[in-house]
């Protein structure tokens, strides 16, 4: 994260890590798509992109709930 100038332990740092990890995983799975047939290359990418976006949405909802004082006890 230092390269991007993002402080460690922040929400943004977490999101960048999640999206990079899912993109790398998607790329590797797209290689599997390619092994099936060239016509299938890239088909699995949407699944991994959707997962990263879902995690971002979830984290956003939790952060907003915490800010509004709705966080469960112990969080």
């Amino acid at each position: 994260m230092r390269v991007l100038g993002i402080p460690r332990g922040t929400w943004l740092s977490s999101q960048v890590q999640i999206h990079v990890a899912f993109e790398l995983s998607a790329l590797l799975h797209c290689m599997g798509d390619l092994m099936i047939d060239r016509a299938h290359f890239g088909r699995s990418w949407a699944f991994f992109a959707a997962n990263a976006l879902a995690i971002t949405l979830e984290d956003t909802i939790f952060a907003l709930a915490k800010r509004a004082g709705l966080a469960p006890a112990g969080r």
Side-chain angles (χ1 to χ4, degrees), residues 15-68:
Q15 293 306 306
V16 169
Q17 290 176 40
I18 287 168
H19 285 272
V20 168
F22 273 98
E23 288 299 320
L24 290 174
S25 187
L27 179 62
L28 291 173
H29 281 82
C30 285
M31 296 302 125
D33 296 344
L34 191 59
M35 291 176 65
I36 294 169
D37 191 298
R38 282 185 170 187
H40 295 292
F41 180 74
R43 288 198 176 176
S44 62
W45 180 85
F47 172 78
F48 291 93
N51 275 281
L53 289 174
I55 291 170
T56 297
L57 178 62
E58 178 185 39
D59 286 350
T60 301
I61 290 169
F62 279 125
L64 291 172
K66 186 176 182 180
R67 186 177 293 173

